[in-house]
């Protein structure tokens, strides 16, 4: 009997997904959820044919150099700024991600953050848990937040998630403006009721600005002090995209100085560390990168990553045709 291929799973995953992988592979699963540094990743990937990695695991040229066994790296997430796609392609390693399955959940979460920050849900809960309200020490004009209905929603980055955020705006009676590298087809614009504008106009007109763009070198600090200065003082910023797209220090200063009303952030520059100035502010809602974390969606993401590895290594119904390749040139080369 020939030995099963080996795969490495960088974080504990659902038992049913691990069981499916174990049908085909010898599976090594990390017992703990934590990022791995370059030296550790290099060592973990050295003896395996495939891997499922987390967004905090940076797989670059140095990590895979000289590794002639590795054939596939499946990212447990849609964003893949942790993967050096060029290096993987050069090395003939297929990279995959988990698009589509998380679109609606992440869009739901963008609205959860918008509502929470606008209506000051987290701060009010902190106040209540601290023992306030019994005997009613609350004034009629306490806890006044911002309305969403009728305000303008701005979306920076109008891919699948941006569009899903936009579609939800109809229920809130919010007109939608967007800015994107390229204009959406007219039918999609109509369905999303979204109007393309330049970035300066988006910054100036949005009452709620949601960031949904990928993290690339050119998008680093796409929202920094100059951009924040162009926004309304009454505006609210939501980042569900990636840390580093916003200059967190500049954002904290703007929030502290009343140059921006509020913010809600699911991602941070240098996460899991959060800028201390943000932690000190009450007009920002913070969450630990959980926009896709509904039970159904996280399961679907893990299944999709597993499907990719199974197919990439030549097993299952879709053998040789992984569902969501990032560098399909690798497959073409092998065909
Ligand atoms: C992803 O998958 O890239 C998202 O950040 C999940 O929230």
């Amino acid at each position: 009997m020939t030995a099963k291929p080996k795969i490495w799973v960088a974080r504990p995953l659902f038992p049913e997904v691990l069981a499916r992988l174990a049908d085909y592979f010898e599976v090594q699963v990390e017992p703990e959820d934590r990022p791995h540094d370059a030296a550790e990743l290099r060592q973990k990937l050295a003896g395996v044919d495939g891997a499922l990695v987390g967004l905090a695991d940076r797989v670059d040229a140095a990590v895979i150099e000289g590794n002639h066994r590795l054939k596939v790296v499946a990212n447990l997430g849609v964003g893949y700024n942790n993967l050096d796609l060029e290096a993987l392609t050069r090395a003939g390693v297929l990279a995959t991600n988990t698009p589509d399955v998380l679109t609606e959940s992440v869009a739901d979460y963008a609205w959860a953050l918008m509502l929470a920050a606008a209506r000051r849900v987290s701060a009010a809960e902190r106040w209540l848990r601290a023992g306030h309200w019994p005997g009613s020490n609350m004034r009629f004009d306490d806890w006044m937040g911002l309305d969403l209905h009728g305000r303008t929603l701005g979306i920076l980055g109008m891919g699948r998630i941006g569009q899903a955020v936009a579609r939800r705006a109809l229920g809130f009676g919010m007109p939608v403006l967007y800015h994107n590298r390229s204009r959406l087809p007219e039918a999609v614009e109509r369905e999303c009721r979204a109007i393309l504008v330049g970035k300066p106009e988006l910054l100036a007109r949005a009452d709620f600005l949601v960031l949904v763009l990928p993290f690339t070198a050119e998008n680093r600090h796409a929202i920094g002090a100059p951009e924040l200065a162009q926004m309304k003082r009454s505006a609210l910023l939501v980042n569900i995209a990636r840390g580093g797209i916003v200059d967190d220090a500049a954002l904290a200063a703007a929030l502290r100085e009343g140059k921006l009303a509020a913010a809600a952030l699911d991602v941070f520059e240098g996460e899991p560390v959060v800028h201390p100035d943000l932690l000190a502010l009450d007009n920002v809602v913070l969450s630990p990168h959980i926009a896709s974390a509904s039970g159904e969606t996280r399961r679907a993401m893990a299944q999709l990553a597993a499907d990719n590895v199974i197919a990439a290594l030549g097993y299952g119904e879709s053998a040789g045709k992984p569902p969501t390749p990032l560098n399909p040139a690798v497959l073409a080369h092998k065909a």
Side-chain angles (χ1 to χ4, degrees):
M1 206 174 81
T2 52
K4 284 177 170 178
K6 281 189 186 165
I7 64 160
W8 178 62
V9 182
R11 55 195 310 184
L13 278 187
F14 306 101
E16 67 272 21
V17 177
L18 294 175
R20 190 161 130 67
L21 289 167
D23 285 342
Y24 304 101
F25 310 122
E26 187 182 322
V27 185
Q28 299 159 11
V29 190
E30 283 304 303
E32 261 176 62
D33 250 313
R34 63 176 174 86
H36 305 91
D37 66 19
E40 202 177 356
L41 275 177
R42 202 177 147 71
Q43 183 242 321
K44 296 283 183 187
L45 295 178
V48 297
D49 302 275
L52 283 81
V53 300
L55 301 179
D57 299 318
R58 170 138 189 88
V59 183
D60 59 16
V63 163
I64 56 167
E65 197 197 346
N67 185 335
H68 301 299
R69 180 164 178 173
L70 187 67
K71 291 175 201 70
V72 56
V73 172
N75 214 31
L76 286 155
V78 65
Y80 52 90
N81 54 299
N82 56 315
L83 305 182
D84 182 337
L85 221 49
E86 269 181 36
L88 286 162
T89 307
R90 262 199 318 273
V93 178
L94 184 76
T96 68
N97 67 341
T98 63
D100 302 322
V101 291
L102 49 63
T103 301
E104 301 300 328
S105 297
V106 173
D108 285 350
Y109 196 75
W111 282 90
L113 285 182
M114 251 189 286
L115 285 159
R119 299 304 301 272
R120 307 175 64 188
V121 176
S122 306
E125 184 181 354
R126 280 194 295 275
W127 183 79
L128 184 140
R129 284 182 189 270
H132 298 285
W133 202 33
S136 193
N137 48 354
M138 190 169 72
R139 292 160 45 114
F140 193 56
D141 62 356
D142 271 343
W143 297 110
M144 295 192 299
L146 302 168
D147 280 324
L148 275 81
H149 59 267
R151 300 293 153 85
T152 297
L153 173 64
I155 302 177
L156 186 55
M158 199 62 159
R160 287 165 284 214
I161 297 172
Q163 292 165 33
V165 171
R167 284 198 307 273
R168 285 157 172 75
L170 178 62
F172 285 89
M174 296 174 79
V176 181
L177 303 176
Y178 78 96
H179 181 69
N180 198 41
R181 259 179 321 193
S182 50
R183 184 169 183 173
L184 297 178
E186 248 175 71
V188 181
E189 280 188 345
R190 255 199 315 278
E191 192 214 336
C192 295
R193 295 163 188 260
I195 297 169
L196 178 73
V197 293
K199 188 175 168 188
E201 187 175 345
L202 185 78
L203 294 172
R205 289 180 58 192
D207 296 303
F208 292 80
L209 180 61
V210 181
L211 309 179
V212 207
L213 59 175
F215 186 55
T216 58
E218 79 192 31
N219 286 342
R220 184 173 180 275
H221 288 185
I223 302 292
E227 289 76 19
L228 291 164
Q230 292 170 60
M231 293 178 68
K232 296 179 187 178
R233 293 179 92 90
S234 57
L236 190 153
L237 179 74
V238 176
N239 189 5
I240 51 161
R242 277 291 178 273
I245 291 175
V246 175
D247 177 344
D248 284 351
L251 173 63
L255 290 167
R256 197 174 45 240
E257 293 158 16
K259 292 179 180 158
L260 192 73
L265 310 171
D266 186 47
V267 288
F268 305 90
E269 235 180 335
E271 66 184 50
V273 177
V274 177
H275 197 293
D277 292 357
L278 289 171
L279 291 169
L281 291 168
D282 237 15
N283 54 346
V284 56
V285 170
L286 309 168
S287 66
H289 204 148
I290 55 168
S292 64
S294 76
E296 232 171 88
T297 291
R298 281 284 161 96
R299 281 194 163 74
M301 290 166 70
Q303 285 292 3
L304 180 53
D307 289 346
N308 274 306
V309 172
I310 292 166
L313 293 178
Y315 295 89
E317 282 166 19
S318 310
K321 293 194 182 95
T324 52
L326 286 166
N327 52 354
V330 169
L331 293 171
H333 188 71
K334 286 195 174 133

